């Protein structure tokens, strides 16, 4: 029987002892085992801190985010291989989808957060703080990656999601992970981890996985480490009190199972969409993952006059839940993860039944499809009811971690809130109501005891992710029994793995440290207009001072007429008494427009577009005959993804200060955003001279660096593509599928090379076509002649669009982009560049 392996210190290894058998939750078969004997835990943690941490910390947020995106795409292409293993945990296809593809979704979501961080290894948080009246002493906050490891102690119910929702966050922060999945489902976590390691996308040491219970894991953690735990509240409390955590002040985040409550609003009576949605949501939360969810609804709190209706309709909904082998399409609920878990649920239900009545389901009877109920870890959905929830308090204290929930009544919204709060803290609560006043009453009063609250109504139902679905952009955690921690939460989650440090100094020094221009810092006078520089050549502090402009009465009146902004201060000088204005006043937006007229460079260059304004302030009025000048300074650079038909570019934030030229007083300022093109340094421009130079190096004996083409085959291939580009050959269908054609088409604009061994659609793979010309020299002459025809065609037809086999319809400029990429690709293939 194969042992589950661990990936530690750069290699896969197995524990030395025989190991503990792991059973298939459906069949009861022992198919693998887990052993941890012989693992050197202190060295494993230190390996992560050094080997993985050093590389991750040097990467920028953009690099880390793109790494996660690449990994998410890699795993998604291989997702089918994980489903067969997931069935062994008792999960249905839907359950597995939540775990597997939900986990990959966390990678995608966290990858997108790179847009909110600077393109550097650390984050600059918040606004600068002026600590002096003169503006020469200031402070800011930076956040740098911790120099430790993230130790993740995970639960059994979501072996993939549980691992990736945590790792995605610490990787984005620049911190490596050591993951400890629960043994009963660790074989699935191992399979995903093995695929991640095999991809080579993460730097070595960024991920280590120990598939088993290691009681000594906290004995050698250090102050720079972060520990997270998902599981039972009792186990979490024991870990949280570990002496090493206290001694080293190690951050500890706990996400514990909680007695989550869902409330039916008084308006959501039988026959309303909200009543139906409530029944559907409770049924789903009871049966998805067989109720083995930390966010599942354990307490069903309903108006006392609707208890019978809820009990009847929820029973009918549960009647439709088929139980058995999750591989079968007709099965809607699988099994628990193990027989031990079944016994734990039975014990909890028996305790609950001392104060509540079982009104649906039977612990001793279950019908299964395609599986032996006695061999697998199956259990029936169990619905209980207590009519006195304030007296029978065990329902607020004991959790059955399976398909179990309890109905209880309330008389008023105050009572509903009290009952929800009697769970002493939960991860999530929800309320079904179409009355926003009821929703506000519950949310505001119950929020202190819940990490997340969802309001269910007819308007959001079609797009809702559901009561039990934590989302990467939202905080996941809760107070009290739920652990008092936070996970995910977008940028918040990433900041848990960063050290926040206040920095103080002069504006000039802090500009250099943060990479963000601070007011009153020294300017770096640009040698030419800043708009002439490409993205890479611009740096914070780069600055220019413009010439002057004087506002006239006519300017102000014309701006009013152009914009239809006839505010009295601009148009009616007889109404200025008692106002803050003394004379005819320039419009604020005219001031900004006039400033732009002073600092904008008119000629075509790297600045491709105005991207907007981020802040704008007018410090005092400006009147007719006032004269201004502008100081334009690069404030910050923000990288961006480009997915449309445009060249790679980034956003530059320009700090535009507007001064009164008479006394150099600052009268207004704005942060102006421009889209600035990045340098193209990948491809050589294919001029006639460059082509001749390259072809002069080509002979019959030249060997390709990749592929099977001969020199003549390559030249004849280029000649053929020029026939397409010049319009001589157009009788073909575009080979690229319509659903990806736009993406392929826009790739012409990026600076990525064609992949080696790319297959041309009309050429049979691994087979060369017959040559058409007698020798290489003749082929070169035909190639040059055909290229001239292509150039001439677009001179005569500059607005023409022609089909291309791979990239669809191309205009003149796009044909040029393709030519540049294509010639570079093949000339590099034969070592001509």
């Amino acid at each position: 029987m194969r042992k589950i392996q661990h990936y530690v210190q750069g290699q896969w290894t197995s524990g030395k002892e025989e190991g503990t058998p792991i059973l298939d939750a459906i069949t009861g078969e022992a198919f693998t085992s887990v052993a941890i004997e012989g693992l050197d835990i202190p060295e494993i943690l230190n390996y992560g801190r050094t080997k993985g941490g050093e590389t991750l910390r040097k990467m920028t947020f953009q690099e880390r985010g793109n790494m996660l995106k690449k990994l998410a795409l890699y795993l998604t292409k291989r997702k089918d291989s994980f489903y067969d293993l997931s069935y062994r945990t008792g999960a249905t296809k839907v359950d597995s989808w939540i775990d597997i593809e939900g986990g990959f979704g966390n990678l995608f979501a966290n990858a997108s957060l790179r847009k909110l961080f600077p393109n550097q290894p650390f984050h600059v948080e918040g606004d600068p703080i002026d600590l002096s009246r003169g503006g020469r002493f200031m402070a800011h906050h930076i956040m740098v990656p911790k120099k430790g490891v993230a130790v993740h102690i995970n639960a059994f119910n979501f072996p993939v999601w549980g691992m990736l929702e945590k790792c995605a966050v610490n990787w984005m922060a620049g911190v490596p992970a050591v993951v400890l999945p629960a043994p009963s489902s660790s074989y699935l976590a191992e399979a995903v981890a093995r695929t991640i390691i095999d991809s080579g996308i993460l730097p070595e040491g960024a991920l280590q996985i120990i598939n088993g219970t290691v009681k000594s894991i906290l004995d050698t953690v250090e102050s720079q480490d972060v520990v997270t735990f998902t599981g039972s509240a009792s186990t979490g409390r024991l870990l949280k009190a570990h002496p090493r955590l206290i001694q080293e002040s190690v951050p500890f985040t706990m996400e514990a199972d909680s007695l989550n409550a869902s409330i039916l609003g008084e308006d959501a009576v039988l026959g309303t969409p909200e009543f139906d949605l409530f029944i559907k949501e409770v049924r789903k939360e009871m049966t998805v993952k067989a109720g083995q969810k930390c966010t599942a609804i354990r307490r069903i709190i309903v108006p006392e006059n609707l208890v019978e209706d809820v009990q009847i309709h929820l029973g009918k909904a549960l009647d439709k839940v088929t139980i058995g082998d999750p591989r079968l399409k007709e099965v809607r609920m699988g099994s628990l993860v193990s027989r031990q878990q079944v016994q734990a649920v039975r014990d909890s239900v028996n305790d609950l039944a001392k104060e509540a009545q079982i009104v649906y389901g039977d612990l001793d009877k279950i019908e299964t499809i395609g599986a032996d109920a006695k061999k697998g870890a199956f259990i029936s959905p169990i619905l209980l009811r207590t009519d006195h929830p304030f007296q029978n308090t065990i329902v607020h204290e004991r959790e059955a971690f399976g398909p179990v929930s309890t109905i209880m009544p309330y008389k008023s919204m105050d009572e509903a809130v009290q009952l929800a709060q009697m769970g002493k803290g939960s991860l999530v609560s929800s309320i079904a109501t179409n009355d926003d006043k009821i929703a506000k009453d519950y949310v505001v009063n119950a929020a202190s005891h819940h990490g997340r609250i969802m309001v269910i109504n007819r308007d959001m139902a079609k797009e809702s992710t559901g009561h039990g679905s934590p989302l990467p952009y939202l905080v996941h955690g809760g107070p009290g029994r739920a652990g008092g921690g936070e996970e995910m939460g977008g940028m918040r989650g990433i900041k848990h793995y960063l050290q926040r440090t206040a920095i103080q100094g002069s504006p000039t020094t802090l500009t250099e440290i943060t990479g963000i221009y601070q007011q009153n810092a020294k300017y770096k006078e640009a040698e030419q207009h800043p708009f002439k520089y490409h993205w890479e050549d611009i740096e914070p502090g780069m600055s220019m001072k413009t010439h002057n402009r004087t506002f006239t009465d006519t300017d102000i009146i014309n701006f009013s007429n152009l914009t239809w902004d006839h505010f009295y201060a601009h148009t009616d000088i007889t109404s200025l008494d008692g106002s803050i204005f003394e004379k005819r006043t320039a419009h604020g937006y005219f001031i900004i427009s006039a400033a732009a007229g002073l600092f904008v460079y008119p000629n075509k260059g790297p600045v491709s577009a105005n991207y907007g304004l981020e802040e704008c302030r007018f410090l005092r009025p400006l009147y007719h005959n006032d004269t201004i000048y502008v100081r334009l300074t690069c404030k910050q650079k923000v990288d961006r993804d480009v997915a449309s038909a445009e060249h790679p570019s980034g956003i530059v934030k320009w700090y535009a200060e507007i001064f009164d030229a008479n006394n150099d007083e600052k009268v207004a300022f704005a942060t102006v955003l421009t889209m600035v093109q990045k340098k193209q340094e990948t491809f050589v421009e294919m001029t006639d001279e460059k082509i001749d130079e390259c072809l002069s190096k080509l002979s019959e004996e030249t060997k390709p660096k990749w592929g099977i083409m001969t020199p003549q085959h390559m030249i004849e291939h280029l000649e053929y593509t020029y026939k397409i580009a010049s319009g001589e050959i157009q009788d073909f269908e575009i080979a690229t599928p319509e659903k990806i054609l736009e993406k392929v088409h826009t790739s012409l604009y990026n600076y990525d090379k064609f992949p080696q061994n790319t297959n041309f659609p009309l050429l049979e793979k691994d087979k060369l076509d017959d040559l058409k010309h007698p020798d290489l020299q003749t082929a070169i002459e035909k190639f040059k002649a055909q290229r001239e025809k292509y150039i001439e065609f677009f001179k005569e037809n500059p607005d023409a669009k022609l089909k291309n086999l791979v990239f669809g319809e191309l205009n003149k400029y796009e044909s040029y982009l393709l030519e540049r990429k294509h010639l570079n690709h093949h000339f590099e293939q034969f070592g001509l560049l």
Side-chain angles (χ1 to χ4, degrees):
M1 183 166 56
R2 175 189 175 274
K3 285 183 186 177
I4 297 171
Q5 291 192 306
H6 321 284
Y7 187 76
V8 293
Q9 296 175 276
Q11 62 183 356
W12 288 99
T13 185
S14 301
K16 292 179 180 179
E17 78 271 34
E18 184 177 337
T20 304
I22 304 295
L23 308 185
D24 186 306
I26 304 300
T27 66
E29 166 202 5
F31 68 98
T32 188
S33 66
V34 61
I36 60 166
E37 186 67 26
L39 298 180
D40 189 336
I41 302 303
E43 284 304 311
I44 291 170
L45 298 183
N46 193 52
Y47 183 82
R49 295 181 193 114
T50 53
K51 183 68 175 180
E54 288 176 2
T55 304
L56 282 171
R57 289 191 295 270
K58 291 176 182 177
M59 298 172 68
T60 68
F61 280 101
Q62 307 303 319
E63 290 170 335
R64 295 175 203 145
N66 286 319
M67 175 184 73
L68 292 194
K69 182 179 179 181
K70 186 176 180 180
L71 181 59
L73 291 168
Y74 184 89
L75 290 172
T76 300
K77 290 179 181 178
R78 292 155 179 81
K79 63 184 180 182
D80 292 341
S81 64
F82 304 124
Y83 276 86
D84 285 339
L85 278 177
S86 184
Y87 290 133
R88 287 184 178 270
T89 70
T92 64
K93 182 70 178 288
V94 171
D95 299 338
S96 299
W97 178 84
I98 296 169
D99 185 29
I100 296 168
E101 297 183 53
F104 302 163
N106 267 277
L107 293 173
F108 278 117
N110 278 277
S112 70
L113 294 175
R114 68 191 183 278
K115 303 169 187 176
L116 305 179
F117 288 94
N119 190 26
Q120 52 193 15
F122 60 90
H123 177 54
V124 182
E125 185 184 47
D127 296 322
I129 303 162
D130 187 1
L131 301 175
S132 65
R133 292 189 177 184
R136 298 300 173 189
F137 179 50
M138 61 170 298
H140 218 145
H141 288 88
I142 63 170
M143 302 190 75
V144 299
K146 290 180 178 290
K147 294 191 174 182
V149 291
V151 178
H152 300 310
I153 305 168
N154 292 344
F156 66 79
N157 50 344
F158 289 101
V160 182
W161 187 90
M163 174 170 63
L164 295 182
E165 63 102 356
K166 294 181 175 74
C167 286
V169 179
N170 62 248
W171 288 332
M172 267 301 290
V175 175
V178 177
V179 180
L180 288 82
S184 56
S185 57
S186 59
Y187 49 88
L188 180 52
E190 178 213 22
V192 175
R194 190 176 291 276
T195 304
I196 291 173
I197 298 301
D198 289 346
S199 75
I201 294 171
L202 296 181
E204 173 54 40
L207 172 63
Q208 297 181 90
I209 183 168
I210 303 173
N211 291 298
T213 301
V214 182
K215 294 183 179 179
S216 63
I217 189 67
L218 300 184
D219 291 350
T220 53
V221 292
E222 298 178 355
S223 60
Q224 288 288 306
D225 298 332
V226 177
V227 177
T228 73
F229 168 77
T230 301
S232 71
S234 58
T235 302
R237 285 192 291 270
L238 289 174
L239 295 176
K240 193 173 185 178
H242 193 287
R244 184 71 177 181
L245 296 185
I246 298 170
Q247 177 186 340
E248 291 283 317
S249 299
V250 178
F252 181 86
T253 297
M254 180 165 72
E255 182 226 304
D257 308 327
S258 57
L259 291 160
N260 309 293
S262 188
I263 288 77
L264 183 66
E266 292 176 294
D267 62 307
V269 298
L270 184 64
T272 63
E274 285 68 35
F275 183 93
D276 295 338
L277 290 168
F278 182 77
I279 296 297
K280 181 180 178 182
E281 199 69 28
V282 174
R283 190 270 309 157
K284 181 174 72 172
E285 289 304 309
M286 287 183 66
T287 57
V288 167
K289 289 290 283 188
Q292 299 171 114
K293 293 172 62 183
C294 55
T295 53
I297 295 169
R298 305 299 180 197
R299 296 177 297 149
I300 308 165
I301 303 174
V302 303
E304 59 181 359
N305 63 315
L306 296 175
V307 169
E308 291 294 333
D309 289 335
V310 169
Q311 181 180 320
I312 292 168
H313 284 79
L314 185 52
K316 290 179 180 179
L318 291 171
D319 282 339
K320 298 176 183 178
V321 177
T322 49
I323 304 169
D325 187 337
R327 297 172 181 82
L328 302 177
K329 290 183 179 180
E330 60 268 33
V331 169
R332 293 293 175 266
M333 188 177 99
S335 70
L336 300 189
V337 74
S338 66
R339 296 292 297 175
Q340 291 90 337
Q341 190 62 26
V342 171
Q343 188 57 50
V345 172
R346 289 174 63 91
D347 292 344
S348 294
V349 171
N350 286 327
D351 282 348
L352 291 169
K354 294 174 183 177
E355 295 184 2
Q357 176 188 4
I358 296 178
V359 294
Y360 183 93
D362 193 321
L363 288 175
D364 299 315
K365 294 180 182 179
I366 183 169
E367 295 182 5
T368 54
I369 300 173
D372 187 336
K374 295 180 180 179
K375 292 182 179 179
F378 294 99
I379 193 169
S380 165
I382 301 292
L383 182 64
L384 299 102
R385 169 176 166 174
T386 179
D387 292 331
H388 305 286
F390 286 100
Q391 290 76 42
N392 299 330
T393 58
I394 193 170
V395 296
H396 308 298
E397 299 165 0
R398 184 68 184 268
E399 180 183 26
F401 199 69
V404 181
S405 196
T406 304
I407 301 174
M408 60 194 73
Y410 73 86
K411 294 179 181 179
S412 65
M413 183 50 64
D414 284 344
E415 280 199 0
V417 171
Q418 289 178 47
L419 289 171
Q421 292 176 345
M422 286 176 72
K424 297 181 180 179
S426 77
L427 296 173
V428 57
S429 181
S430 57
I431 180 169
T433 177
N434 199 41
D435 186 324
D436 290 337
K437 291 183 179 178
I438 291 176
K440 180 180 179 179
D441 190 5
Y442 178 73
V443 169
V444 172
N445 289 293
S448 60
H449 284 60
H450 305 288
R452 174 168 58 91
I453 299 178
M454 186 179 80
V455 180
I456 304 167
N457 64 24
R458 65 197 72 181
D459 294 335
M460 54 75 81
K462 289 184 179 180
E463 297 180 10
S464 168
T465 52
H467 164 105
S469 299
L471 297 174
Y473 299 122
L474 303 181
V475 167
H476 180 47
R481 180 190 172 104
E486 289 186 357
E487 293 179 357
M488 302 193 297
M491 288 183 73
R492 293 182 186 90
I494 294 170
K495 290 179 180 181
H496 289 318
Y497 297 91
L498 301 172
Q499 174 61 46
R500 181 182 288 106
T501 302
I503 54 173
Q504 298 169 279
S506 73
T508 301
T509 299
L510 265 58
T511 292
E512 293 303 310
I513 293 173
T514 62
I516 300 174
Y517 176 77
Q518 311 290 342
Q519 289 190 46
N520 298 316
K522 293 177 182 177
Y523 302 119
K524 301 175 184 177
E525 295 293 344
E527 294 182 2
Q528 57 182 347
H529 195 290
F531 283 15
K532 288 184 176 182
Y533 291 97
H534 283 87
W535 160 266
E536 293 85 351
D537 296 328
I538 298 172
E539 59 178 317
M542 178 182 283
S543 183
M544 64 163 279
K545 179 182 177 181
T546 70
H547 54 276
N548 295 351
R549 174 171 177 173
T550 300
F551 299 157
T552 67
D553 253 1
T554 303
D555 289 333
I556 298 170
I557 293 169
N558 285 344
F559 193 83
S560 292
N561 292 332
L562 180 66
T563 61
W564 296 3
D565 177 356
H566 297 293
F567 185 64
Y568 76 94
H570 314 310
T571 57
D572 184 5
I573 58 175
T574 65
S575 299
L576 299 182
D577 290 347
S579 73
I580 64 170
F581 307 107
E582 300 173 1
K583 308 175 187 176
R584 189 185 305 283
T585 307
H587 304 67
Y589 296 119
F590 171 61
I591 296 170
I592 294 298
S593 299
L598 289 172
F599 68 68
V600 167
Y601 183 70
N603 298 345
K604 185 176 181 180
V607 174
S608 56
N610 182 341
Y611 203 67
L613 288 175
E614 200 167 65
E615 61 180 345
C616 181
R617 296 289 184 276
F618 304 108
L619 306 179
R620 73 162 174 79
L622 285 172
Y623 305 115
H624 66 90
N625 295 328
D626 280 348
T627 301
I628 66 164
Y629 68 86
V630 179
R631 167 66 73 169
L632 184 73
T633 307
C634 172
K635 180 177 181 179
Q636 186 180 4
K637 293 164 62 177
V638 180
D639 214 341
R640 66 186 289 264
D641 295 329
V642 175
S644 56
E646 58 178 284
H647 291 301
S649 63
I651 302 303
V652 177
K653 297 182 179 182
W654 301 97
Y655 185 50
E657 300 170 279
I658 303 168
F659 293 91
D660 186 328
N662 295 320
N663 55 20
D664 293 326
E665 178 190 2
K666 188 188 298 186
V667 294
F669 64 87
T671 298
V672 181
L673 281 62
T674 60
M675 197 181 298
V676 181
Q677 191 172 314
K678 296 180 180 179
K679 285 181 179 178
Q680 192 293 106
E681 297 179 316
T682 305
F683 305 111
V684 176
E685 291 298 330
M686 286 292 117
T687 62
D688 291 342
E689 293 76 17
K690 191 64 184 178
I691 291 172
D692 287 340
E693 177 190 332
C694 290
L695 293 179
S696 68
K697 304 173 187 177
L698 190 66
S699 69
E700 297 279 6
E701 289 73 36
T702 306
K703 301 297 182 185
K705 295 180 179 179
W706 67 83
I708 61 173
M709 277 186 173
T710 68
Q712 188 170 337
H713 279 100
M714 182 267 288
I715 295 296
E716 290 191 7
H717 165 67
L718 292 176
E719 179 197 358
Y720 182 81
T721 57
Y722 274 122
K723 287 183 178 180
I724 294 174
S726 60
E728 287 187 25
I729 299 176
Q730 288 285 287
D731 56 342
F732 55 81
E733 296 296 324
I734 297 169
T736 303
E738 183 66 29
K739 64 180 181 180
I740 63 168
L741 181 58
E742 182 179 0
K743 182 178 180 180
V744 172
H745 179 91
T746 58
S747 71
L748 288 173
Y749 286 82
N750 66 36
Y751 301 153
D752 299 334
K753 296 179 180 181
F754 286 157
Q756 296 179 4
N757 295 306
T758 301
N759 196 51
F760 188 64
L762 297 182
L763 294 178
E764 190 174 340
K765 191 174 182 181
D766 299 326
K767 184 180 178 182
L768 292 171
D769 279 359
D770 294 336
L771 293 171
K772 297 177 175 58
H773 301 304
D775 52 51
L776 175 60
Q777 191 55 44
T778 304
I780 289 174
E781 291 171 4
K782 295 290 185 181
F783 154 77
K784 289 183 175 180
Q786 194 61 50
R787 182 173 182 270
E788 286 299 320
K789 290 181 180 180
Y790 151 73
I791 294 170
E792 192 62 31
F793 173 83
F794 276 110
K795 280 183 179 177
E796 297 176 359
N797 305 278
D799 298 323
K801 285 190 174 183
L802 295 174
K803 284 192 303 182
N804 178 272
L805 271 163
V806 176
F807 298 96
E809 286 195 345
L810 305 181
N811 59 27
K812 178 181 179 180
Y813 184 68
E814 291 163 343
S815 296
Y816 149 74
L817 294 177
L818 174 57
E819 179 196 25
R820 185 174 69 183
K821 277 197 174 192
H822 199 202
L823 292 185
N824 270 262
H825 174 76
H826 286 296
F827 287 180
E828 186 176 322
Q829 179 186 14
F830 283 85
L832 309 180
L833 285 175

